[in-house]
Amino acid sequence: LEPWNTVVISGIGCSSRLPGYVSTFGFNGVHGRALTLATGVKIARPELNVIAVGGDGDGLAIGGNHFLHAARRNLDIAYFMMDNEIYGLTKGQAAPTTPAGDKTKSTYWGNPEPSVDPCELAMSFGATWVGRGFSGDPKTLVDLMTRAMRHKGFAFLNVMSPCVTWRGDEQFKLLKAKLAFLPPDHDAGSRADALRYTRETDVLTTGVLYEVHQPSLLERME
């Protein structure tokens, strides 16, 4: 992508520092509002490539409502969620994706809440492209990011990104050991097939889980 025709927009969190590390236009917004800013930029300047980035807390807690509506509108952007299953910037509290039973700074006796699967939510909300990657497999991850940016419509990529400070180096090794890839006969056009790879515990399946083609928000507005 041409950097002068590309915008990277973020909210708040460790992951939301990303606009400062790429040679594109960028905007670092407030907590949970990356997708509202991305919506404004894309509608005002539809010729631009718009990428939104953030963490699981930023996108699924305070920003969950905006995630829902950006997906259902099929806004033509790529949204990369760096999922470390914790609130890393604010010192290790439980986040929406923190596994049940995990001890964190805010759940001393273990997290009493069930976790959510971001990919399952994205498909339920209406995203037309949903993928999962792992920071420990950069080769596959680069391909997934490229495919997400090429997709015409709302592309959501959940990147499992263990925080070595608050989740421990062991979690990174655990996820790497669980790493798996979609079988060649996976039907990405079937939501039922894609949902089989959500809420996984024993494996971490990466790849394009779901991909369909529908008119984007701007196409419908025109």
Side-chain angles (χ1 to χ4, degrees):
L1 301 179
E2 297 169 330
W4 52 90
N5 286 325
T6 304
V7 186
V8 178
I9 292 172
S10 69
I12 291 294
C14 303
S15 57
S16 295
R17 294 279 297 163
L18 195 141
Y21 298 106
V22 291
S23 300
T24 68
F25 290 103
F27 193 97
N28 187 211
V30 295
H31 200 202
R33 303 300 185 259
L35 290 172
T36 59
L37 293 162
T39 301
V41 171
K42 189 64 182 180
I43 290 176
R45 295 286 303 277
E47 76 279 9
L48 296 177
N49 306 300
V50 180
I51 301 165
V53 298
D56 50 294
D58 189 63
L60 297 177
I62 192 170
N65 184 48
H66 305 305
F67 184 23
L68 189 166
H69 296 296
R72 78 172 178 85
R73 290 169 177 148
N74 201 26
L75 182 68
D76 187 13
I77 68 166
Y79 180 31
F80 301 147
M81 179 177 288
M82 286 159 265
D83 184 357
N84 60 12
E85 300 182 330
I86 202 81
Y87 278 106
L89 182 68
T90 53
K91 305 297 184 286
Q93 300 93 335
T97 55
T98 302
D102 275 22
K103 286 188 175 183
T104 73
K105 283 296 184 73
S106 60
T107 55
Y108 181 81
W109 289 279
N111 181 21
E113 301 174 351
S115 63
V116 300
D117 187 307
C119 292
E120 182 183 24
L121 288 181
M123 282 182 264
S124 300
F125 291 163
T128 51
W129 190 101
V130 178
R132 184 189 292 120
F134 173 48
S135 61
D137 180 20
K139 183 178 179 181
T140 302
L141 185 56
V142 167
D143 177 64
L144 289 171
M145 293 173 75
T146 303
R147 293 173 68 177
M149 290 186 285
R150 285 178 176 158
H151 180 75
K152 298 299 180 184
F154 188 81
F156 173 71
L157 179 59
N158 189 54
V159 184
M160 297 305 296
S161 313
C163 173
V164 295
T165 300
W166 299 111
R167 302 289 292 152
D169 188 49
E170 284 302 312
Q171 193 204 25
F172 186 92
K173 295 175 183 176
L174 182 65
L175 289 182
K176 197 159 190 174
K178 290 181 177 182
L179 187 63
F181 303 95
L182 288 168
D185 61 349
H186 171 63
D187 182 4
S190 167
R191 183 177 293 185
D193 275 9
L195 286 171
R196 290 168 49 202
Y197 297 98
T198 59
R199 302 197 187 194
E200 294 179 321
T201 55
D202 298 329
V203 294
L204 172 63
T205 305
T206 59
V208 180
L209 305 181
Y210 185 64
E211 182 174 16
V212 293
H213 298 281
Q214 296 174 3
S216 69
L217 174 64
L218 285 167
E219 288 171 330
R220 294 197 306 273
M221 289 175 69
E222 289 170 357

